[in-house]
Amino acid sequence: MKNFLSVILFFAVIFIGFSGKLSAQKMLFFRAKSDFSIVIPNRATDLEILSANELQKYIKRCSGAELPIITEKQYSEKQAAIFVGKTDYAQVQSAAISQLKNDGFFIYSDSNNLIIYGKEKKGTLYGVYDFLETFLGFRLYTPDNLYVTDKAFFHLPDTLIIRNPSFRYREVLYYYPNQSQLYADWHKLHNRNDLAQDWGMFVHTFRHLIPVEKYFEEHPEWFSEINGRRIKDGQLCLSNPDVLEELCRNLAMEMEKKPEATYWSVSNNDNMNNCQCAQCHRLDSLYGAPSGTLLYFINQVAARFPDKQISTLAYQYTRKAPERWIVPEPNVNIMFCSIECGRQESIATAIDEEEFRSDMYGWKRLTDNLFVWDYIVQFRNMLNPFPNLHVLQPNLQYFRDNKVEMMFEQGTGAQNKTSWMEIRTYLTAKLLWNVDADVDSIFAEFCQGYYGAASPYISEFYREMHQSLIASKKGLEIYGYPIDGKEGYLSPTQIGKYQKLIAQAYAVAGCDSTLVDKIRYLELSLDFAVLELAMSNISPELSFFTYKNGEKMVNQEMMTKAENFVADCHRFGINNLEEMGYTPEKFFANIKNFIAKSTLPNLAQNRKVTLKTQFSPTYDAGGAQSLTDGIVGTLDYHFNWLGFEGKHLDAIVDLESEKVINQISIDFFFYPLSWIYAPEKVIFYISRNGKRWKKVSERQYENPQILAKANIVNFSSEELTNKKARYIRVKATSPLVNPEWHRGYGLPCWIFTDEIIVR
C-alpha cells in the first residue's frame, strides 16, 4: 500500500508540474475555439492584409478556429493577439528588428502574444508561411500538394526566431514558382511577377535594343565583324560610338514604359560571335579579355542612367573577367553564368572547374554586385534522370562564399516539365533561403510527405542513382544524353535496380491512384532513358530487338513501353522532351523510323564500303563499314553517325554479286546549331562492274535557316523497277562551309550519315 501511494504521489507531482507549465503558455486554439485575434497596422499595406488573411485561412484549416482580423486601433491590451506586419506593438522588439536583412523576418512570442514581422516587401508574408511550417506542421510540396495537419489544440511557446535569407534575390526560373504565386511566396522565392516589377529587360538584349532587322541594311558597321565581314547573327560593335548613342536612345524609351523597374539588362546575344574589328580587337587586348570591351561599353551606358542598375552577362566568351584597366561602375550588375559546368561534382572541388573558379575570382575581386545564373536541369533531354541533387547545396554555398547576393536557378521553359522537378524545386527553394539547411532532413521529409508509403523505395531510388553516378566518376552535363551514363548510373545493371525499386513502390501504393500517378511520373524519366538506350542496343535487356534462330524481331515489350510513355506524357502535360521543342510524338516517330531502318531487308548490310572522301576521326562511328553495319543513328549525332567536316560524301558499296535493285536511300543528320547540315544534293548511281556508273536518281535539298532543331533528313532514290547492279554509289554534296545566315559563316561545316539502305 505504501508503494502504491508513493507512485500516485509521484505522478501527481509530475501532472501538477506539467499542467502548471501548460497554464503558463497561452492556448492559441482548442477544439476549434480561440481567444486570439489577428492584429494588423492601422494603415496596413496590401501585403500585410494578405499575410493576415493567409494566417487566418490556414489556422482555420488545421484547427477549425477562425481568428478575427482587426486593426491596432480596435485592439485591447486584454486581448490575446497575433500581431502581423509593422504594428506599433512589434516596434518594441527593436533588437530583433535591427538584425533583419533584406526580406528577412522574425517570429516572437512571450506566451501571451505572437509577433510576425518582416523587414521588406514580402518579409511578413514569408514569416506567416514559416510559422505555419515550423509550428503547425504545414508543408507545400507542390502547388497542388499542400500537407495540412489537423490539430485539436496548440500552445503558444516562448520563442524568438530571426530568419534572414542567404541570398538577397532568389529565383527558380520556369518551374512551379512561375506558375503558382502561392508556391513562390510560401518558399520565399522571387518569381515572374516580382521580376516584372524589378526588371525592365532581362538578358540577351542587344538584339532587342539594336534589332538587326531594323538597322543592318543601313548600318552593317554597327554589328560584329567576323573574318573581315559584318554579320547579322552576332553581337554589336561595342567600339562604335554611334551604337552607344542609338542603344541609349532606345533604352531610354523602354525605361519610359516601365519607370518603376530598377534592373535593365544590356547584354550580349546568345552566341560567341563578338566583334573582331580592329578597334574592338584593340580593346580586347587592352583589357585582357572580350569582357573588358563589353564592360567599356556597359559602363558608358550606366553613366547615362545613374539611378538604374544596368545588368550585363559574364557568359561564354565574356565569362572571363577583364584583367586590367577597368572595373564595373557601382550601378553595373554582373550576371555570371555557369552553363559550361558539369554537375557530377561540386564546382568548388571539381578538377575540371578550375577555370570557372578562376573566372569567379576574377569578377569577385572587381565587384560585389554579382548575380549568378546557374542551371539545374538537363536541357537537351529534359526527362532524362539527372542526379544533381547532391551538388545543389555545395554549389550554392560556393556562390554565397564568393559574395554573390543574387541567385537565379534555371529550370525549363514555362510550359515544360522535367524529371524530378518536384524534389529538385523543393530542395532548391529551401537552400536559396537557407543555404546551410540540413539537406538530408529536407530530402527525407519531402519523400515521406510526398510519397507516403512508397517513400522508402523512392528515397532509395534517388540515393542509388546518385551513389552510382559518384562512384562512376563520369560527367553529368546539362546538354548530355542518356548514353553518357551507360557505363555508370544508367548501366543495364543499375537500371535493373531502379526498376525493382519502382515496382516495390507500386506494390505498396496499392489502389491509391494519386500515389500511383506520382510514382508513374517519376518512372517516366527512367522509361525515357531506357527507350533512348534501347535504340543504341547496349544490352539484350536494353534493346528494341530480340533474336530467335538468328532472326531479328521487334521487342514488343519495348514497343509497348514506348506507346505507354507517349500516352502518359500527354496525361501528365509533358509537351516537350528537350529545350527546343522535341515532342513525345516526334520521339515516337523517330523510334518507329529507327525500327523500320533496322528491320527492313537491306541488300547492303555488312557489305564492303569504299569511301572516296575522308571522314573525320572525331566522329568515325567505326569507319567506312559503319555505313552498312545495320546500326542506325538516332537524334544524337555523337553515336552511330559518320561525320565529314568540310568534305562531300562519295561512298561505294559492293553487294558481292549482282542483285535486283528497287530503291536506294540514305539519312543525314540536321542540326545547324552544331554546324551540321543535310547535303544540298544526293545522287545515286548503280554499276555492274564498278567502273561504268549509271546515274539513277538525284535529290535536291535546301537546308532551312533554323539553328536549334535537330532532325533526320531522308534521301531516297526514285523507284528503280528491278534494276540489276552489283555496285551502289552515293554522292552527297555538302555545303562545305556555314552559309551566310549562320553565325559561323565561312567556316567548315559537317554532314553526318549513318546507313546506306538498298532494297
Side-chain angles (χ1 to χ4, degrees), residues 5-143:
L5 290 175
S6 298
V7 171
I8 291 177
L9 182 61
F10 172 77
F11 280 108
V13 170
I14 292 295
F15 176 77
I16 291 169
F18 181 66
S19 62
K21 192 171 184 179
L22 287 184
S23 66
Q25 295 178 320
K26 202 77 172 179
M27 191 81 76
L28 179 59
F29 53 78
F30 180 73
R31 293 183 180 177
K33 302 287 185 184
S34 178
D35 296 329
F36 276 74
S37 297
I38 298 173
V39 180
I40 58 177
N42 294 322
R43 295 183 178 180
T45 65
D46 290 343
L47 280 171
E48 287 171 327
I49 294 170
L50 172 64
S51 301
N53 287 334
E54 290 290 272
L55 183 62
Q56 180 191 57
K57 176 174 69 177
Y58 288 113
I59 287 178
K60 184 176 181 180
R61 282 192 65 173
C62 77
S63 70
E66 184 167 2
L67 280 61
I69 299 174
I70 62 175
T71 65
E72 229 170 348
K73 284 183 180 178
Q74 299 168 309
Y75 167 69
S76 166
E77 291 186 5
K78 295 180 181 179
Q79 294 175 270
I82 302 176
F83 291 88
V84 173
K86 294 182 178 179
T87 59
D88 292 338
Y89 187 90
Q91 300 300 328
V92 176
Q93 303 300 323
S94 57
I97 293 172
S98 68
Q99 296 181 58
L100 296 182
K101 300 176 182 177
N102 303 314
D103 46 5
F105 59 88
F106 75 82
I107 300 171
Y108 171 80
S109 170
D110 58 7
S111 298
N112 291 310
N113 294 318
L114 178 69
I115 298 171
I116 302 176
Y117 178 102
K119 184 182 180 186
E120 297 176 1
K121 296 183 179 179
K122 294 186 177 182
T124 296
L125 184 61
Y126 298 158
V128 164
Y129 292 136
D130 193 275
F131 173 79
L132 295 172
E133 279 211 359
T134 303
F135 293 97
L136 298 184
F138 283 76
R139 293 292 186 274
L140 186 63
Y141 296 117
T142 68

Side-chain angles (χ1 to χ4, degrees), residues 140-147 176 180 182-183 450 514 518:
L140 186 63
Y141 296 117
T142 68
D144 54 0
N145 199 295
L146 175 67
Y147 175 74
Y176 298 137
S180 168
L182 173 62
Y183 190 93
Y450 190 69
T514 300
K518 291 176 181 178

Side-chain angles (χ1 to χ4, degrees), residues 643-655:
F644 297 80
E645 184 182 21
K647 290 184 172 61
H648 304 300
L649 168 70
D650 188 353
I652 298 172
V653 181
D654 181 358
L655 301 180

Side-chain angles (χ1 to χ4, degrees), residues 200-235:
M201 300 184 77
F202 194 70
V203 305
H204 302 315
T205 58
F206 281 176
R207 61 186 176 180
H208 299 297
L209 291 168
I210 304 288
V212 68
E213 300 82 5
K214 179 178 179 180
Y215 293 106
F216 188 83
E217 294 306 319
E218 187 175 352
H219 294 289
E221 73 278 7
W222 289 7
F223 298 88
S224 288
E225 179 183 308
I226 305 292
N227 297 325
R229 176 179 170 275
R230 300 288 175 171
I231 66 170
K232 294 180 180 180
D233 185 23
Q235 305 293 340

Side-chain angles (χ1 to χ4, degrees), residues 421-649:
M421 63 186 295
E422 310 95 335
I423 179 64
R424 188 179 286 113
T425 312
Y426 193 85
L427 267 177
T428 303
K430 295 297 184 188
L431 290 168
L432 283 172
W433 180 264
N434 178 10
V435 74
D436 297 317
D438 186 339
V439 173
D440 291 339
S441 295
I442 297 171
F443 174 80
E445 172 258 309
F446 178 91
C447 288
Q448 180 59 50
Y450 190 69
Y451 290 106
S455 174
Y457 306 109
I458 301 303
S459 299
E460 184 60 24
F461 173 93
Y462 285 126
R463 277 193 292 267
E464 179 68 36
M465 197 171 289
H466 282 83
Q467 289 169 0
S468 178
L469 170 74
I470 294 167
S472 73
K473 300 188 184 302
K474 301 290 185 181
L476 186 69
E477 306 297 329
I478 67 171
Y479 286 102
Y481 296 84
I483 195 73
D484 299 335
K486 70 183 178 66
E487 295 176 356
Y489 79 100
L490 289 178
S491 70
T493 300
Q494 285 302 120
I495 285 174
K497 291 180 181 179
Y498 310 145
Q499 290 173 329
K500 182 178 179 181
L501 289 166
I502 292 291
Q504 291 172 308
Y506 277 129
V508 298
C511 298
D512 184 342
S513 60
T514 300
L515 180 53
V516 167
D517 278 352
K518 291 176 181 178
I519 297 167
R520 178 56 183 153
Y521 183 84
L522 178 63
E523 185 185 28
L524 282 176
S525 67
L526 187 59
D527 283 359
F528 174 79
V530 166
L531 293 168
E532 276 279 316
L533 292 168
M535 284 192 280
S536 294
N537 199 38
I538 68 170
S539 73
E541 301 82 14
L542 296 177
S543 174
F544 272 98
F545 308 108
T546 59
Y547 296 86
K548 186 175 182 180
N549 299 325
E551 183 181 355
K552 188 178 189 179
M553 297 180 296
V554 176
N555 182 344
Q556 290 302 323
E557 183 179 336
M558 197 66 73
M559 279 303 297
T560 300
K561 186 183 289 290
E563 291 165 359
N564 291 339
F565 173 84
V566 174
D568 284 334
C569 280
H570 285 299
R571 188 162 66 89
F572 288 110
I574 299 169
N575 302 315
N576 293 307
L577 302 178
E578 62 99 55
E579 189 179 19
M580 301 308 298
Y582 181 42
T583 65
E585 291 86 359
K586 186 65 180 291
F587 179 56
F588 190 58
N590 280 319
I591 288 175
K592 291 193 291 185
N593 178 62
F594 163 81
I595 290 172
K597 284 174 62 178
S598 301
T599 55
L600 287 176
N602 180 10
L603 297 176
Q605 186 160 337
N606 297 323
R607 304 307 184 193
K608 182 182 177 182
V609 179
T610 301
L611 287 174
K612 298 293 186 179
T613 49
Q614 182 59 45
F615 58 85
S616 168
T618 306
Y619 296 98
D620 65 3
Q625 291 311 123
S626 68
L627 298 184
T628 59
D629 63 2
I631 302 173
V632 302
T634 62
L635 280 183
D636 178 1
Y637 64 87
H638 297 87
F639 298 94
N640 302 331
W641 290 93
L642 189 63
F644 297 80
E645 184 182 21
K647 290 184 172 61
H648 304 300
L649 168 70

